[in-house]
Amino acid sequence: MSKMINGFSKLTKSEKIDWITKTHFKNPEAARKELESYWSTDPKLQNRHDEFIENTVTNFYLPLGIAPNFLINGSIYSLPMVIEESSVVAAAGNAAKFWSTRGGFKATVLDTIKVGQIHFLFTGDSIALKQFFEKRKEELLQTTKNLTKNMEQRGGGIISCELIDKGKEMPDYYQLHLKFKTGDAMGANFINSCLEQLAKSFEEFARLDLLTQADSHLEIVMSILSNYVPECLVRATVSCPVEDLAIEKNGISGISFAKKMVAAVAIAQCEPHRAVTHNKGIMNGVDAIVLATGNDFRAVEAGVHAYAAQTGKYTSLSTATIEEGQFKMELTLPLAVGTVGGLTKLHPMVKWCMELLGNPSAEKLMEIMAVGGLAQNFAAVRSLVTTGIQKGHMKMHLLNILNQFEATKNQKEAAVEYFKNEVVTVQAVGAFLEKNTH
Ligand code: MEV
C-alpha cells in the first residue's frame, strides 16, 4: 500500500528518494543504491534526463538494438530499435537480409497533413455563425502570423480552416477543423499554439460581430491537435517473383509459401481478433524506431489503430497479393513523426540514432518506420505459417530465462547448445542448470 504525501514535487531529488524508499521498501538503503546505480556517471547528462519529466528518481533502461542490411529505395540502412521483447530485432534483421536480395523495400510518403480542432458550443443563428466565419476567416488566420511565419518558410503552416456543424452528433456542438503541414517537426506544439491563438481571436471577433443578440452564446470547450492523421500517410512495399520465395531448407515451394502468406494476411483483414495481433506485430517494428528516434509512441499507436478501424471494422494494416506471378506485400500507415524539436537534440541516444539513419527528414523517417513495420510483419507471418512463432521466440527467450536464474557464462553457453534440439521452458532450463552447476 502506498502512502499519501503533500508537496512531493517540492522536495529535492534526494529527499524524494529518501521518502519513497523509507516508506515503501524493506531495505531503504539498498533501494536507494539500486536507483543510484542507474544514474549516469556524468552529472550534467543525468541532470538533463532528470529534467525531461517531473519527479525523476533514476533512469529506466531499455535495450537499443541494431537491425542492419535494410535496402530502402536503393540505399542501405541500419535501423535503431528500442524494445524489450526478444526476437523482434533478430526478425527485422532476417527480413532485411531476405529482401535485400529481392529488390529491397520501396517506400513513399503519400501526404503529410496533420489536423487540429477547436471544439466549441454555440447557441443562436447557425447561418449567422457561418456568415460571420466566412467574413472573418482571413483576419482570424492573420492573428496566427507570428506563430506561422517560421513554419511557412520551412514549407509548412496552416493549410485550411473549416467551420463544421456537429449538431447532429451533439446539441450546439461546432468545430473549427484545421489542416496543417509541419515540415520536419512532429508539430504538436506548433499546432496547439496556433489553435489556442485562433480560439482566442475567434471568441473576441464573435463577441464583436456575432454575440450581439441576447439569446446567442458561444463557449470554446477546447483546442487540441488530433492524433488521428489519415492524411499523414506512408506506404512501404516489398515484391518479388513467387518462385524467389522458396524456402529450400524447409522444402517449401515459392508458390505454396506465397499462397499461405496471402491467406494469413486475408484472415487478418476479415477477422478483428487476428487483425489486432497482426497489427501488433507491425507495431513491434514501428514503435521500436519511434522510441529510438525520440518520437511519441502513444500518439503513433493511437493514430495507427484508429486508422485500422476507419471503415468501422478493425482490419489489417497490411495487404498481400499474388498477381501475374509476383508476390507483393504492402503496408500503409498514418505516421505523424518529427526529426527536429522534441527530444531530437536533447537526448544523446536519440541524436545518435538520428545520425545512424543519416539525419533523415521527417518524410524519410516515416518511410524508414513503415519499412520497419513491414519487415516485422513479413517476418512474423512467415514464422507463423512455417515453423510457428515459438521456435524463434523461445530461442531468444532462453537468454532471458538463463538471466532470471543468474546462470554463469559457461552455463549459458552449454544451455544454448543443449536447447538447440530441446523445447525451451522455464522448468526445462531450471532442470538443466541443476544438472550443470557451473
Ligand atoms: C509478437 O510480439 C507479435 C506476433 O504475435 C505478431 C503476429 O502474430 O503477427 C508474432
Side-chain angles (χ1 to χ4, degrees):
M1 266 285 263
S2 200
K3 309 266 190 300
M4 293 288 285
I5 180 173
N6 283 328
F8 183 69
S9 65
K10 308 246 159 38
L11 301 180
T12 63
K13 180 173 168 185
S14 182
E15 288 166 343
K16 283 179 186 123
I17 294 175
D18 237 27
W19 181 80
I20 203 87
T21 53
K22 284 185 180 146
T23 51
H24 293 72
F25 289 81
K26 278 198 206 84
N27 184 342
E29 203 36 46
R32 169 184 275 273
K33 283 220 169 78
E34 192 75 33
L35 289 180
E36 288 176 357
S37 71
Y38 284 87
W39 287 358
S40 168
T41 48
D42 174 354
K44 242 172 85 187
L45 183 59
Q46 185 52 50
N47 196 43
R48 185 179 305 173
H49 281 264
D50 289 352
E51 288 177 0
F52 285 152
I53 61 165
E54 310 76 33
N55 298 344
T56 313
V57 288
T58 193
N59 309 304
F60 189 96
Y61 290 3
L62 281 177
L64 163 61
I66 303 295
N69 302 320
F70 270 88
L71 179 61
I72 306 175
N73 295 341
S75 303
I76 308 277
Y77 292 85
S78 292
L79 304 192
M81 302 183 81
V82 171
I83 189 157
E84 87 300 343
E85 184 176 334
S86 58
S87 86
V88 168
V89 178
N94 288 339
K97 200 74 184 284
F98 182 89
W99 284 106
S100 69
T101 54
R102 291 165 176 83
F105 293 83
K106 306 277 178 299
T108 336
V109 169
L110 305 180
D111 215 335
T112 57
I113 292 173
K114 291 160 191 175
V115 169
Q117 296 168 320
I118 298 169
H119 305 272
F120 66 96
L121 301 176
F122 174 73
T123 45
D125 181 354
S126 72
I127 294 178
L129 172 67
K130 279 172 203 151
Q131 284 166 348
F132 152 76
F133 173 71
E134 285 310 327
K135 187 168 142 241
R136 289 286 215 161
K137 183 170 155 182
E138 278 318 308
E139 253 176 291
L140 201 58
L141 292 172
Q142 279 301 321
T143 67
T144 62
K145 272 292 162 227
N146 59 333
L147 296 166
T148 57
K149 211 168 50 207
N150 284 345
M151 192 55 92
E152 279 165 8
Q153 274 161 16
R154 287 183 264 135
I158 301 175
I159 306 298
S160 67
C161 174
E162 256 185 290
L163 170 70
I164 302 180
D165 184 345
K166 305 288 282 183
K168 283 208 184 88
E169 277 132 280
M170 179 177 143
D172 305 333
Y173 170 32
Y174 292 82
Q175 63 177 226
L176 295 187
H177 185 94
L178 287 99
K179 293 186 179 178
F180 296 84
K181 288 216 175 182
T182 58
D184 285 330
M186 190 263 188
N189 278 332
F190 168 71
I191 294 174
N192 289 332
S193 301
C194 288
L195 293 172
E196 287 186 6
Q197 174 59 56
L198 271 176
K200 226 165 98 192
S201 317
F202 185 65
E203 214 173 8
E204 268 169 32
F205 291 180
R207 219 177 297 125
L208 294 174
D209 289 12
L210 182 69
L211 304 175
T212 46
Q213 315 277 329
D215 59 350
S216 64
H217 181 73
L218 182 143
E219 190 180 358
I220 304 285
V221 179
M222 60 194 161
S223 308
I224 185 73
L225 67 70
S226 170
N227 292 122
Y228 183 44
V229 281
E231 289 182 280
C232 189
L233 283 186
V234 56
R235 178 164 294 154
T237 312
V238 282
S239 85
C240 71
V242 160
E243 54 275 15
D244 290 0
L245 290 175
I247 308 175
E248 266 145 36
K249 72 172 187 259
N250 299 358
I252 302 175
S253 75
I255 186 67
S256 64
F257 173 62
K259 280 186 173 164
K260 240 179 150 182
M261 289 293 285
V262 169
V265 177
I267 289 169
Q269 279 169 329
C270 69
E271 213 289 312
H273 277 88
R274 174 56 203 149
V276 172
T277 318
H278 179 92
N279 290 345
K280 189 274 182 185
I282 292 169
M283 298 314 286
N284 276 345
V286 176
D287 279 338
I289 307 170
V290 171
L291 271 169
T293 55
N295 276 287
D296 181 343
F297 64 92
R298 287 86 55 211
V300 166
E301 281 281 335
V304 162
H305 295 293
Y307 183 74
Q310 66 173 336
T311 59
K313 175 176 167 174
Y314 190 93
T315 185
S316 164
L317 291 157
S318 63
T319 57
T321 52
I322 304 169
E323 270 170 33
E324 293 172 8
Q326 282 283 122
F327 170 80
K328 182 171 167 190
M329 201 161 170
E330 194 164 87
L331 171 65
T332 308
L333 287 180
L335 287 177
V337 294
T339 54
V340 298
L343 283 191
T344 47
K345 289 272 172 314
L346 294 174
H347 194 301
M349 290 326 299
V350 169
K351 225 167 128 188
W352 189 94
C353 292
M354 288 295 189
E355 188 170 344
L356 175 72
L357 293 173
N359 292 318
S361 64
E363 293 197 18
K364 183 109 330 250
L365 186 59
M366 286 167 76
E367 292 174 356
I368 292 168
M369 286 173 179
V371 165
L374 181 60
Q376 209 58 50
N377 188 218
F378 174 78
V381 179
R382 178 172 63 171
S383 297
L384 289 170
V385 302
T386 54
T387 56
I389 206 73
Q390 280 311 82
K391 192 162 178 257
H393 243 259
M394 289 316 270
K395 213 154 74 191
M396 301 297 292
H397 192 49
L398 174 61
L399 276 179
N400 283 345
I401 301 176
L402 287 166
N403 283 335
Q404 263 173 37
F405 280 112
E406 297 185 359
T408 64
K409 190 164 171 277
N410 279 349
Q411 283 177 311
K412 282 184 189 168
E413 279 168 10
V416 168
E417 201 44 46
Y418 174 79
F419 281 100
K420 273 188 181 150
N421 301 312
E422 296 294 326
V423 177
V424 178
T425 64
V426 174
Q427 289 82 348
V429 175
F432 175 85
L433 293 175
E434 265 171 35
K435 281 197 210 123
N436 298 269
T437 49
H438 48 265

